[in-house]
Amino acid sequence: MFSEQSVRQLLDGAKRGKEPLREFLSYHAHRKDKILFVDLARRLNNEPGKLIDPESFQVIIPSFVISELKEAFQIGFIIFIPFLVIDMVVANVLLSLGMMMLSPTTIALPFKILLFVLVDGWYLIVQGLVLGYVRGA
């Protein structure tokens, strides 16, 4: 199926790409998460005297994933707050006008889209994501 040369090239590429990948993951993983996974690896290790390297892939991959999930939830929450405020304002205005049977979501959705477009939401999201991976940003 695969020639021996292509398998060798694949393994060679994996060896060369391992260290830049390790550096990237380690740089973007939070220290607290690394400590957690070093401790968990120590507890799950069957060989009691064996030391766990904090820069091993079994530590930095899950710590990177957990760090990124935390940051994603924070971004989602920050995006959610203005939309929640719009929902509350629209609901209060509709109630004060006596329109209890009209769904606030129907009225609030165009305002949410308008807000997102006016603040150039996609630009801000993409800029924040890309600059989050640039060192020194």
Side-chain angles (χ1 to χ4, degrees):
M1 184 184 273
F2 293 109
S3 69
E4 186 177 327
Q5 181 184 6
S6 64
V7 171
R8 246 185 285 129
Q9 287 176 343
L10 183 64
L11 291 175
D12 185 45
K15 284 179 188 174
R16 283 185 290 166
K18 186 167 76 170
E19 290 312 312
L21 179 63
R22 182 189 318 267
E23 182 182 331
F24 175 83
L25 294 175
S26 181
Y27 182 78
H28 291 288
H30 298 152
R31 187 173 186 274
K32 180 181 172 184
D33 297 326
K34 284 184 195 177
I35 292 170
L36 168 71
F37 283 104
V38 165
D39 184 48
L40 289 174
R42 230 179 253 131
R43 288 182 186 188
L44 294 173
N45 192 4
N46 293 333
E47 302 171 29
K50 185 178 176 187
L51 293 176
I52 304 297
D53 180 20
E55 295 301 313
S56 69
F57 279 114
Q58 90 182 54
V59 171
I60 61 173
I61 289 175
S63 61
F64 172 79
V65 169
I66 296 297
S67 299
E68 292 301 302
L69 282 173
K70 274 190 228 171
E71 291 181 17
F73 277 109
Q74 290 171 351
I75 290 169
F77 188 72
I78 289 171
I79 292 172
F80 174 70
I81 293 207
F83 293 154
L84 181 65
V85 169
I86 290 173
D87 278 337
M88 290 171 44
V89 168
V90 167
N92 280 327
V93 168
L94 289 176
L95 282 175
S96 66
L97 292 173
M99 300 181 185
M100 288 151 292
M101 298 303 287
L102 184 59
S103 171
T105 311
T106 308
I107 306 300
L109 183 61
F111 288 112
K112 291 177 187 179
I113 294 171
L114 181 66
L115 174 70
F116 194 74
V117 169
L118 286 177
V119 299
D120 205 5
W122 286 119
Y123 173 82
L124 293 173
I125 289 173
V126 170
Q127 179 188 30
L129 288 173
V130 171
L131 291 181
Y133 288 110
V134 176
R135 290 185 183 224

